[in-house]
């Protein structure tokens, strides 16, 4: 949109990179799939929510320039979403027999845990780079400073 003001043309630059990332993180705050207790999760709802996260990640990527820092973490959030849909059906033959009659199989929980861990690390990277505070349940999937320093020491 261009608005002439006293003979000077002004174009709205749109939201800043930080604002685009902030909106994505606000979207993630409402995704229970990232932090609900495992026993409250059902396969259909989890699959749908992960699909929504992938879609929102794609929309956010489209709103950013190709050289934005957020591009790599956003792609890293979408990738385990794709992987989840394949890995949730993996066969854990030594454990599956114990889960008969359960609402989900071990492969589902392993894939969901991997998805949450990856998203948590990428949320931390985005929040740190753009100076965005993450609070509430979403913060619970982010690595803590203690975990980060332990990893650095290894």
């Amino acid at each position: 949109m261009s608005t002439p003001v006293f003979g000077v043309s002004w174009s709205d630059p749109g939201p800043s990179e930080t604002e685009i990332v902030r909106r994505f993180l606000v979207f993630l705050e409402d995704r229970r799939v990232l932090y609900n207790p495992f026993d409250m999760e059902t396969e259909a709802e989890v699959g749908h929510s992960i699909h929504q996260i992938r879609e929102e990640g794609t929309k956010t990527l489209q709103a950013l320039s190709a050289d934005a820092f957020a591009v790599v973490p956003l792609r890293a959030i979408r990738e385990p979403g794709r992987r989840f849909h394949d890995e949730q059906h993996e066969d854990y033959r030594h454990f599956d027999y114990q889960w008969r009659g359960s609402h989900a199989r071990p492969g589902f929980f392993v894939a969901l845990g991997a998805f949450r861990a990856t998203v948590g690390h990428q949320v931390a990277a985005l929040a740190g780079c753009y100076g965005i505070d993450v609070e509430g349940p979403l913060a619970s999937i982010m690595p803590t400073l203690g975990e980060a320093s332990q990893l650095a020491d290894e």
Side-chain angles (χ1 to χ4, degrees), residues 77-135:
I77 288 171
R78 288 188 320 165
E79 195 274 327
R82 286 188 301 272
R83 233 181 20 238
F84 169 83
H85 291 290
D86 295 331
E87 292 178 0
Q88 70 172 318
H89 300 293
E90 283 191 15
D91 184 26
Y92 288 82
R93 62 187 173 99
H94 297 294
F95 298 102
D96 281 348
Y97 73 92
Q98 296 174 7
W99 291 76
R100 289 193 182 122
S102 174
H103 70 282
R105 296 171 37 139
F108 169 79
F109 294 111
V110 170
L112 180 56
F115 176 76
R116 288 178 175 181
T118 301
V119 172
H121 279 88
Q122 301 312 316
V123 165
L126 290 167
C129 178
Y130 292 98
I132 300 169
D133 289 332
V134 176
E135 298 176 6

CSV table of all heavy atoms in Angstrom, one decimal, residues 77-135:
chain,number,residue,atom,x,y,z
A,77,ILE,N,11.3,-27.0,12.5
A,77,ILE,CA,10.0,-27.3,13.1
A,77,ILE,C,9.1,-28.1,12.2
A,77,ILE,O,8.4,-29.0,12.6
A,77,ILE,CB,9.3,-26.0,13.7
A,77,ILE,CG1,10.1,-25.5,14.9
A,77,ILE,CG2,7.8,-26.3,14.0
A,77,ILE,CD1,9.6,-24.1,15.3
A,78,ARG,N,9.1,-27.7,10.9
A,78,ARG,CA,8.2,-28.4,10.0
A,78,ARG,C,8.7,-29.9,9.7
A,78,ARG,O,7.9,-30.8,9.6
A,78,ARG,CB,8.2,-27.7,8.7
A,78,ARG,CG,7.4,-26.4,8.7
A,78,ARG,CD,7.2,-25.8,7.3
A,78,ARG,NE,8.4,-25.9,6.5
A,78,ARG,CZ,8.4,-25.7,5.2
A,78,ARG,NH1,7.2,-25.4,4.6
A,78,ARG,NH2,9.5,-25.8,4.5
A,79,GLU,N,10.0,-30.1,9.7
A,79,GLU,CA,10.6,-31.4,9.3
A,79,GLU,C,10.1,-32.5,10.3
A,79,GLU,O,9.7,-33.6,9.8
A,79,GLU,CB,12.1,-31.3,9.2
A,79,GLU,CG,12.7,-32.5,8.5
A,79,GLU,CD,13.0,-33.6,9.4
A,79,GLU,OE1,13.3,-33.3,10.6
A,79,GLU,OE2,12.9,-34.8,9.0
A,80,PRO,N,10.2,-32.3,11.6
A,80,PRO,CA,9.8,-33.4,12.5
A,80,PRO,C,8.3,-33.6,12.5
A,80,PRO,O,7.8,-34.6,12.8
A,80,PRO,CB,10.3,-33.0,13.9
A,80,PRO,CG,10.4,-31.5,13.8
A,80,PRO,CD,10.8,-31.2,12.4
A,81,GLY,N,7.5,-32.6,12.0
A,81,GLY,CA,6.1,-32.8,11.8
A,81,GLY,C,5.8,-33.8,10.7
A,81,GLY,O,5.0,-34.6,10.8
A,82,ARG,N,6.6,-33.7,9.7
A,82,ARG,CA,6.5,-34.7,8.6
A,82,ARG,C,6.9,-36.0,9.1
A,82,ARG,O,6.3,-37.1,8.8
A,82,ARG,CB,7.3,-34.3,7.4
A,82,ARG,CG,6.8,-33.1,6.6
A,82,ARG,CD,7.6,-32.9,5.3
A,82,ARG,NE,9.0,-32.6,5.5
A,82,ARG,CZ,9.5,-31.4,5.7
A,82,ARG,NH1,8.7,-30.3,5.7
A,82,ARG,NH2,10.7,-31.2,5.9
A,83,ARG,N,8.0,-36.1,9.8
A,83,ARG,CA,8.6,-37.3,10.3
A,83,ARG,C,7.6,-38.0,11.3
A,83,ARG,O,7.5,-39.2,11.3
A,83,ARG,CB,9.9,-37.0,11.0
A,83,ARG,CG,11.0,-37.9,10.5
A,83,ARG,CD,12.4,-37.7,11.2
A,83,ARG,NE,12.3,-37.1,12.5
A,83,ARG,CZ,13.0,-36.0,12.8
A,83,ARG,NH1,13.7,-35.3,11.9
A,83,ARG,NH2,12.9,-35.5,14.0
A,84,PHE,N,6.9,-37.2,12.1
A,84,PHE,CA,6.0,-37.7,13.1
A,84,PHE,C,4.9,-38.6,12.4
A,84,PHE,O,4.6,-39.7,12.9
A,84,PHE,CB,5.2,-36.6,13.8
A,84,PHE,CG,4.1,-37.1,14.6
A,84,PHE,CD1,4.3,-37.6,15.9
A,84,PHE,CD2,2.8,-37.1,14.1
A,84,PHE,CE1,3.2,-38.1,16.7
A,84,PHE,CE2,1.7,-37.6,14.9
A,84,PHE,CZ,2.0,-38.1,16.1
A,85,HIS,N,4.4,-38.2,11.3
A,85,HIS,CA,3.4,-38.9,10.6
A,85,HIS,C,3.8,-40.3,10.1
A,85,HIS,O,3.1,-41.2,10.0
A,85,HIS,CB,2.8,-38.1,9.4
A,85,HIS,CG,2.0,-37.0,9.9
A,85,HIS,ND1,0.8,-37.1,10.6
A,85,HIS,CD2,2.3,-35.6,9.9
A,85,HIS,CE1,0.4,-35.9,10.9
A,85,HIS,NE2,1.2,-35.0,10.5
A,86,ASP,N,5.1,-40.4,9.9
A,86,ASP,CA,5.7,-41.7,9.5
A,86,ASP,C,6.1,-42.6,10.7
A,86,ASP,O,5.8,-43.7,10.8
A,86,ASP,CB,6.9,-41.6,8.6
A,86,ASP,CG,6.6,-40.9,7.3
A,86,ASP,OD1,5.5,-41.1,6.8
A,86,ASP,OD2,7.5,-40.2,6.7
A,87,GLU,N,6.8,-41.9,11.7
A,87,GLU,CA,7.4,-42.6,12.8
A,87,GLU,C,6.4,-43.1,13.8
A,87,GLU,O,6.7,-44.0,14.6
A,87,GLU,CB,8.5,-41.8,13.4
A,87,GLU,CG,9.7,-41.6,12.5
A,87,GLU,CD,10.7,-40.7,13.1
A,87,GLU,OE1,10.6,-40.2,14.2
A,87,GLU,OE2,11.7,-40.5,12.4
A,88,GLN,N,5.2,-42.5,13.9
A,88,GLN,CA,4.2,-42.9,14.9
A,88,GLN,C,3.8,-44.3,14.7
A,88,GLN,O,3.2,-44.9,15.6
A,88,GLN,CB,3.0,-41.9,14.9
A,88,GLN,CG,2.1,-42.0,13.7
A,88,GLN,CD,0.9,-41.2,13.9
A,88,GLN,OE1,0.3,-41.2,14.9
A,88,GLN,NE2,0.5,-40.5,12.8
A,89,HIS,N,4.0,-44.8,13.5
A,89,HIS,CA,3.5,-46.2,13.2
A,89,HIS,C,4.6,-47.2,13.3
A,89,HIS,O,4.4,-48.4,12.9
A,89,HIS,CB,2.9,-46.2,11.8
A,89,HIS,CG,1.7,-45.3,11.7
A,89,HIS,ND1,0.5,-45.5,12.3
A,89,HIS,CD2,1.6,-44.1,11.0
A,89,HIS,CE1,-0.3,-44.5,12.1
A,89,HIS,NE2,0.3,-43.7,11.2
A,90,GLU,N,5.8,-46.8,13.7
A,90,GLU,CA,6.9,-47.7,13.8
A,90,GLU,C,6.6,-48.8,14.8
A,90,GLU,O,5.9,-48.6,15.8
A,90,GLU,CB,8.2,-47.0,14.3
A,90,GLU,CG,8.9,-46.3,13.2
A,90,GLU,CD,10.2,-45.8,13.5
A,90,GLU,OE1,10.8,-46.2,14.5
A,90,GLU,OE2,10.7,-44.9,12.8
A,91,ASP,N,7.1,-50.0,14.5
A,91,ASP,CA,6.8,-51.2,15.3
A,91,ASP,C,7.9,-51.3,16.4
A,91,ASP,O,9.0,-51.4,16.2
A,91,ASP,CB,6.8,-52.4,14.4
A,91,ASP,CG,6.4,-53.7,15.2
A,91,ASP,OD1,5.7,-53.5,16.2
A,91,ASP,OD2,6.8,-54.7,14.7
A,92,TYR,N,7.4,-51.3,17.7
A,92,TYR,CA,8.3,-51.6,18.8
A,92,TYR,C,7.8,-53.0,19.4
A,92,TYR,O,7.1,-53.0,20.4
A,92,TYR,CB,8.1,-50.5,19.9
A,92,TYR,CG,8.8,-49.2,19.4
A,92,TYR,CD1,8.1,-48.3,18.6
A,92,TYR,CD2,10.0,-48.9,19.8
A,92,TYR,CE1,8.7,-47.1,18.2
A,92,TYR,CE2,10.7,-47.7,19.4
A,92,TYR,CZ,10.0,-46.8,18.6
A,92,TYR,OH,10.5,-45.7,18.2
A,93,ARG,N,8.2,-54.0,18.7
A,93,ARG,CA,7.7,-55.3,19.0
A,93,ARG,C,7.9,-55.8,20.4
A,93,ARG,O,7.2,-56.6,20.9
A,93,ARG,CB,8.2,-56.3,18.0
A,93,ARG,CG,9.7,-56.5,18.0
A,93,ARG,CD,10.1,-57.4,16.8
A,93,ARG,NE,11.5,-57.5,16.7
A,93,ARG,CZ,12.3,-58.5,17.2
A,93,ARG,NH1,11.7,-59.5,17.8
A,93,ARG,NH2,13.6,-58.5,17.1
A,94,HIS,N,9.0,-55.3,21.1
A,94,HIS,CA,9.2,-55.7,22.5
A,94,HIS,C,8.3,-55.0,23.4
A,94,HIS,O,8.2,-55.4,24.6
A,94,HIS,CB,10.7,-55.5,22.8
A,94,HIS,CG,11.6,-56.3,22.0
A,94,HIS,ND1,11.7,-57.6,22.0
A,94,HIS,CD2,12.5,-55.9,21.1
A,94,HIS,CE1,12.6,-58.1,21.2
A,94,HIS,NE2,13.1,-57.0,20.6
A,95,PHE,N,7.7,-53.9,23.0
A,95,PHE,CA,6.8,-53.2,23.9
A,95,PHE,C,5.4,-53.2,23.5
A,95,PHE,O,4.5,-53.0,24.3
A,95,PHE,CB,7.3,-51.7,24.0
A,95,PHE,CG,8.7,-51.6,24.5
A,95,PHE,CD1,9.7,-51.3,23.7
A,95,PHE,CD2,8.9,-51.7,25.9
A,95,PHE,CE1,11.0,-51.2,24.2
A,95,PHE,CE2,10.2,-51.6,26.4
A,95,PHE,CZ,11.3,-51.3,25.5
A,96,ASP,N,5.1,-53.3,22.2
A,96,ASP,CA,3.7,-53.2,21.7
A,96,ASP,C,2.7,-54.2,22.4
A,96,ASP,O,1.6,-53.8,22.6
A,96,ASP,CB,3.7,-53.4,20.2
A,96,ASP,CG,4.1,-52.2,19.4
A,96,ASP,OD1,4.2,-51.1,20.0
A,96,ASP,OD2,4.3,-52.3,18.2
A,97,TYR,N,3.2,-55.4,22.7
A,97,TYR,CA,2.2,-56.3,23.3
A,97,TYR,C,1.7,-55.8,24.7
A,97,TYR,O,0.6,-56.1,25.1
A,97,TYR,CB,2.9,-57.7,23.5
A,97,TYR,CG,3.9,-57.8,24.6
A,97,TYR,CD1,3.5,-58.1,25.9
A,97,TYR,CD2,5.2,-57.4,24.3
A,97,TYR,CE1,4.5,-58.2,26.9
A,97,TYR,CE2,6.2,-57.5,25.3
A,97,TYR,CZ,5.8,-57.9,26.6
A,97,TYR,OH,6.7,-57.9,27.6
A,98,GLN,N,2.5,-55.0,25.4
A,98,GLN,CA,2.0,-54.4,26.6
A,98,GLN,C,1.0,-53.3,26.4
A,98,GLN,O,0.3,-53.0,27.4
A,98,GLN,CB,3.2,-53.9,27.4
A,98,GLN,CG,4.3,-54.9,27.8
A,98,GLN,CD,5.5,-54.3,28.4
A,98,GLN,OE1,5.5,-53.1,28.7
A,98,GLN,NE2,6.5,-55.1,28.7
A,99,TRP,N,0.9,-52.8,25.2
A,99,TRP,CA,0.1,-51.6,25.0
A,99,TRP,C,-1.2,-52.0,24.3
A,99,TRP,O,-2.0,-51.1,24.0
A,99,TRP,CB,0.8,-50.6,24.1
A,99,TRP,CG,2.0,-50.0,24.8
A,99,TRP,CD1,3.2,-50.6,25.1
A,99,TRP,CD2,2.0,-48.7,25.4
A,99,TRP,NE1,3.9,-49.7,25.8
A,99,TRP,CE2,3.3,-48.6,26.0
A,99,TRP,CE3,1.1,-47.7,25.5
A,99,TRP,CZ2,3.6,-47.4,26.7
A,99,TRP,CZ3,1.5,-46.5,26.1
A,99,TRP,CH2,2.7,-46.4,26.7
A,100,ARG,N,-1.5,-53.3,24.1
A,100,ARG,CA,-2.7,-53.7,23.5
A,100,ARG,C,-3.9,-53.2,24.3
A,100,ARG,O,-3.9,-53.3,25.5
A,100,ARG,CB,-2.8,-55.2,23.3
A,100,ARG,CG,-1.8,-55.7,22.3
A,100,ARG,CD,-2.0,-57.1,21.9
A,100,ARG,NE,-1.0,-57.5,20.9
A,100,ARG,CZ,-0.2,-58.5,21.1
A,100,ARG,NH1,-0.2,-59.2,22.1
A,100,ARG,NH2,0.7,-58.7,20.2
A,101,GLY,N,-4.9,-52.6,23.6
A,101,GLY,CA,-6.0,-52.1,24.3
A,101,GLY,C,-5.8,-50.6,24.7
A,101,GLY,O,-6.8,-49.9,25.1
A,102,SER,N,-4.6,-50.1,24.6
A,102,SER,CA,-4.3,-48.7,24.9
A,102,SER,C,-4.8,-47.9,23.7
A,102,SER,O,-4.9,-48.4,22.6
A,102,SER,CB,-2.8,-48.5,25.1
A,102,SER,OG,-2.5,-47.2,25.3
A,103,HIS,N,-5.0,-46.6,24.0
A,103,HIS,CA,-5.5,-45.7,22.9
A,103,HIS,C,-4.4,-45.3,21.9
A,103,HIS,O,-4.6,-44.8,20.9
A,103,HIS,CB,-6.1,-44.5,23.5
A,103,HIS,CG,-5.2,-43.5,24.2
A,103,HIS,ND1,-4.7,-43.7,25.4
A,103,HIS,CD2,-4.6,-42.4,23.7
A,103,HIS,CE1,-3.9,-42.8,25.8
A,103,HIS,NE2,-3.8,-41.9,24.8
A,104,ALA,N,-3.1,-45.6,22.3
A,104,ALA,CA,-2.0,-45.4,21.3
A,104,ALA,C,-0.9,-46.3,21.6
A,104,ALA,O,-0.8,-46.9,22.7
A,104,ALA,CB,-1.5,-43.9,21.5
A,105,ARG,N,0.0,-46.5,20.6
A,105,ARG,CA,1.1,-47.4,20.7
A,105,ARG,C,2.4,-46.7,21.0
A,105,ARG,O,2.4,-45.5,20.9
A,105,ARG,CB,1.2,-48.1,19.3
A,105,ARG,CG,0.0,-49.0,19.0
A,105,ARG,CD,0.1,-49.5,17.6
A,105,ARG,NE,1.4,-49.8,17.2
A,105,ARG,CZ,1.8,-50.9,16.5
A,105,ARG,NH1,0.9,-51.7,16.1
A,105,ARG,NH2,3.0,-51.1,16.2
A,106,PRO,N,3.4,-47.4,21.5
A,106,PRO,CA,4.6,-46.8,21.8
A,106,PRO,C,5.3,-45.9,20.7
A,106,PRO,O,5.8,-44.9,21.0
A,106,PRO,CB,5.6,-48.0,22.1
A,106,PRO,CG,4.6,-49.1,22.5
A,106,PRO,CD,3.4,-48.9,21.7
A,107,GLY,N,5.1,-46.3,19.5
A,107,GLY,CA,5.7,-45.5,18.4
A,107,GLY,C,5.1,-44.1,18.3
A,107,GLY,O,5.8,-43.1,18.0
A,108,PHE,N,3.8,-44.0,18.7
A,108,PHE,CA,3.1,-42.7,18.7
A,108,PHE,C,3.8,-41.8,19.8
A,108,PHE,O,4.1,-40.7,19.5
A,108,PHE,CB,1.6,-42.9,19.1
A,108,PHE,CG,0.9,-41.7,19.4
A,108,PHE,CD1,0.5,-40.8,18.5
A,108,PHE,CD2,0.6,-41.4,20.8
A,108,PHE,CE1,-0.2,-39.7,18.8
A,108,PHE,CE2,-0.1,-40.2,21.1
A,108,PHE,CZ,-0.5,-39.4,20.1
A,109,PHE,N,4.0,-42.4,21.0
A,109,PHE,CA,4.6,-41.6,22.1
A,109,PHE,C,6.1,-41.2,21.8
A,109,PHE,O,6.5,-40.1,22.1
A,109,PHE,CB,4.4,-42.3,23.4
A,109,PHE,CG,3.0,-42.4,23.8
A,109,PHE,CD1,2.4,-43.6,23.8
A,109,PHE,CD2,2.3,-41.3,24.2
A,109,PHE,CE1,1.1,-43.8,24.2
A,109,PHE,CE2,1.0,-41.4,24.5
A,109,PHE,CZ,0.3,-42.6,24.6
A,110,VAL,N,6.8,-42.1,21.2
A,110,VAL,CA,8.2,-41.9,20.9
A,110,VAL,C,8.3,-40.7,19.8
A,110,VAL,O,9.0,-39.8,20.0
A,110,VAL,CB,8.9,-43.1,20.3
A,110,VAL,CG1,10.3,-42.8,19.8
A,110,VAL,CG2,9.1,-44.2,21.5
A,111,ALA,N,7.4,-40.8,18.8
A,111,ALA,CA,7.4,-39.8,17.7
A,111,ALA,C,7.0,-38.5,18.3
A,111,ALA,O,7.5,-37.4,18.0
A,111,ALA,CB,6.5,-40.2,16.6
A,112,LEU,N,6.0,-38.5,19.2
A,112,LEU,CA,5.5,-37.2,19.8
A,112,LEU,C,6.6,-36.6,20.7
A,112,LEU,O,6.8,-35.4,20.6
A,112,LEU,CB,4.2,-37.5,20.6
A,112,LEU,CG,3.6,-36.3,21.3
A,112,LEU,CD1,3.3,-35.1,20.3
A,112,LEU,CD2,2.3,-36.7,22.0
A,113,GLY,N,7.3,-37.4,21.4
A,113,GLY,CA,8.4,-36.9,22.3
A,113,GLY,C,9.5,-36.3,21.5
A,113,GLY,O,10.0,-35.2,21.8
A,114,ALA,N,9.8,-36.9,20.4
A,114,ALA,CA,10.9,-36.4,19.5
A,114,ALA,C,10.4,-35.1,18.8
A,114,ALA,O,11.2,-34.1,18.7
A,114,ALA,CB,11.2,-37.4,18.4
A,115,PHE,N,9.1,-35.0,18.4
A,115,PHE,CA,8.6,-33.8,17.9
A,115,PHE,C,8.7,-32.6,18.9
A,115,PHE,O,9.1,-31.5,18.6
A,115,PHE,CB,7.1,-34.0,17.4
A,115,PHE,CG,6.5,-32.8,16.9
A,115,PHE,CD1,6.7,-32.3,15.7
A,115,PHE,CD2,5.5,-32.1,17.7
A,115,PHE,CE1,6.1,-31.1,15.2
A,115,PHE,CE2,4.9,-30.9,17.2
A,115,PHE,CZ,5.2,-30.5,16.0
A,116,ARG,N,8.2,-32.9,20.1
A,116,ARG,CA,8.2,-31.9,21.2
A,116,ARG,C,9.6,-31.4,21.5
A,116,ARG,O,9.9,-30.2,21.6
A,116,ARG,CB,7.6,-32.4,22.5
A,116,ARG,CG,6.1,-32.6,22.4
A,116,ARG,CD,5.5,-33.2,23.7
A,116,ARG,NE,4.1,-33.2,23.6
A,116,ARG,CZ,3.4,-33.6,24.6
A,116,ARG,NH1,3.9,-34.1,25.7
A,116,ARG,NH2,2.0,-33.6,24.5
A,117,ALA,N,10.6,-32.3,21.5
A,117,ALA,CA,12.0,-31.9,21.9
A,117,ALA,C,12.5,-31.0,20.8
A,117,ALA,O,13.2,-30.0,21.0
A,117,ALA,CB,12.8,-33.2,22.0
A,118,THR,N,12.3,-31.4,19.5
A,118,THR,CA,12.8,-30.6,18.4
A,118,THR,C,12.2,-29.2,18.4
A,118,THR,O,12.9,-28.2,18.3
A,118,THR,CB,12.6,-31.3,17.1
A,118,THR,OG1,13.2,-32.6,17.1
A,118,THR,CG2,13.1,-30.5,15.9
A,119,VAL,N,10.9,-29.1,18.5
A,119,VAL,CA,10.2,-27.9,18.5
A,119,VAL,C,10.7,-27.0,19.7
A,119,VAL,O,10.9,-25.8,19.6
A,119,VAL,CB,8.6,-28.0,18.6
A,119,VAL,CG1,7.9,-26.7,18.8
A,119,VAL,CG2,8.2,-28.7,17.3
A,120,GLY,N,10.8,-27.6,20.9
A,120,GLY,CA,11.3,-26.9,22.0
A,120,GLY,C,12.7,-26.2,21.8
A,120,GLY,O,12.9,-25.0,22.2
A,121,HIS,N,13.6,-26.9,21.2
A,121,HIS,CA,14.9,-26.4,20.9
A,121,HIS,C,14.8,-25.2,19.9
A,121,HIS,O,15.5,-24.2,20.0
A,121,HIS,CB,15.9,-27.4,20.4
A,121,HIS,CG,16.5,-28.2,21.5
A,121,HIS,ND1,15.9,-29.4,21.9
A,121,HIS,CD2,17.6,-28.1,22.2
A,121,HIS,CE1,16.6,-29.9,22.9
A,121,HIS,NE2,17.7,-29.1,23.1
A,122,GLN,N,13.9,-25.4,18.9
A,122,GLN,CA,13.8,-24.3,17.9
A,122,GLN,C,13.1,-23.1,18.4
A,122,GLN,O,13.4,-22.0,18.1
A,122,GLN,CB,13.1,-24.9,16.6
A,122,GLN,CG,13.8,-26.0,16.0
A,122,GLN,CD,15.3,-25.8,15.8
A,122,GLN,OE1,15.7,-24.7,15.3
A,122,GLN,NE2,16.1,-26.8,16.1
A,123,VAL,N,12.1,-23.3,19.3
A,123,VAL,CA,11.4,-22.2,19.9
A,123,VAL,C,12.4,-21.4,20.8
A,123,VAL,O,12.5,-20.2,20.8
A,123,VAL,CB,10.2,-22.7,20.8
A,123,VAL,CG1,9.8,-21.6,21.8
A,123,VAL,CG2,9.1,-23.1,19.9
A,124,ALA,N,13.3,-22.1,21.5
A,124,ALA,CA,14.4,-21.4,22.3
A,124,ALA,C,15.3,-20.6,21.4
A,124,ALA,O,15.7,-19.5,21.7
A,124,ALA,CB,15.2,-22.5,23.0
A,125,ALA,N,15.7,-21.1,20.2
A,125,ALA,CA,16.5,-20.4,19.3
A,125,ALA,C,15.8,-19.2,18.7
A,125,ALA,O,16.4,-18.1,18.7
A,125,ALA,CB,16.9,-21.3,18.1
A,126,LEU,N,14.5,-19.3,18.4
A,126,LEU,CA,13.8,-18.1,17.9
A,126,LEU,C,13.6,-17.1,19.0
A,126,LEU,O,13.8,-15.9,18.7
A,126,LEU,CB,12.4,-18.6,17.4
A,126,LEU,CG,12.4,-19.4,16.1
A,126,LEU,CD1,11.1,-20.0,15.8
A,126,LEU,CD2,12.8,-18.5,14.9
A,127,ALA,N,13.2,-17.5,20.1
A,127,ALA,CA,13.0,-16.6,21.2
A,127,ALA,C,14.3,-15.8,21.6
A,127,ALA,O,14.3,-14.6,21.8
A,127,ALA,CB,12.4,-17.3,22.5
A,128,GLY,N,15.4,-16.6,21.6
A,128,GLY,CA,16.7,-16.0,22.0
A,128,GLY,C,17.2,-15.0,21.0
A,128,GLY,O,17.6,-13.9,21.3
A,129,CYS,N,17.1,-15.3,19.7
A,129,CYS,CA,17.5,-14.5,18.6
A,129,CYS,C,16.7,-13.2,18.5
A,129,CYS,O,17.3,-12.1,18.3
A,129,CYS,CB,17.5,-15.2,17.3
A,129,CYS,SG,18.1,-14.2,15.9
A,130,TYR,N,15.4,-13.3,18.7
A,130,TYR,CA,14.5,-12.2,18.5
A,130,TYR,C,14.1,-11.5,19.8
A,130,TYR,O,13.4,-10.5,19.8
A,130,TYR,CB,13.3,-12.6,17.7
A,130,TYR,CG,13.6,-12.9,16.3
A,130,TYR,CD1,13.8,-14.3,15.9
A,130,TYR,CD2,13.8,-12.0,15.3
A,130,TYR,CE1,14.2,-14.6,14.6
A,130,TYR,CE2,14.2,-12.3,14.0
A,130,TYR,CZ,14.3,-13.6,13.7
A,130,TYR,OH,14.7,-14.0,12.4
A,131,GLY,N,14.7,-11.9,20.9
A,131,GLY,CA,14.4,-11.3,22.2
A,131,GLY,C,12.9,-11.4,22.6
A,131,GLY,O,12.3,-10.4,23.1
A,132,ILE,N,12.3,-12.5,22.4
A,132,ILE,CA,10.9,-12.7,22.6
A,132,ILE,C,10.7,-13.6,23.9
A,132,ILE,O,11.3,-14.7,23.9
A,132,ILE,CB,10.1,-13.4,21.4
A,132,ILE,CG1,10.3,-12.5,20.2
A,132,ILE,CG2,8.7,-13.7,21.8
A,132,ILE,CD1,9.8,-13.2,18.9
A,133,ASP,N,10.0,-13.1,24.9
A,133,ASP,CA,9.7,-13.9,26.1
A,133,ASP,C,8.7,-15.0,25.8
A,133,ASP,O,7.7,-14.8,25.1
A,133,ASP,CB,9.2,-13.1,27.2
A,133,ASP,CG,10.2,-12.1,27.8
A,133,ASP,OD1,11.4,-12.5,27.7
A,133,ASP,OD2,9.9,-11.1,28.3
A,134,VAL,N,9.0,-16.2,26.2
A,134,VAL,CA,8.1,-17.4,26.1
A,134,VAL,C,7.7,-17.8,27.5
A,134,VAL,O,8.6,-18.1,28.3
A,134,VAL,CB,8.8,-18.5,25.3
A,134,VAL,CG1,7.8,-19.7,25.3
A,134,VAL,CG2,9.1,-18.1,23.9
A,135,GLU,N,6.5,-17.8,27.8
A,135,GLU,CA,6.0,-18.1,29.1
A,135,GLU,C,5.0,-19.2,29.0
A,135,GLU,O,4.5,-19.6,28.0
A,135,GLU,CB,5.5,-16.9,29.8
A,135,GLU,CG,6.5,-15.8,30.0
A,135,GLU,CD,5.9,-14.5,30.6
A,135,GLU,OE1,4.7,-14.5,30.9
A,135,GLU,OE2,6.7,-13.5,30.6
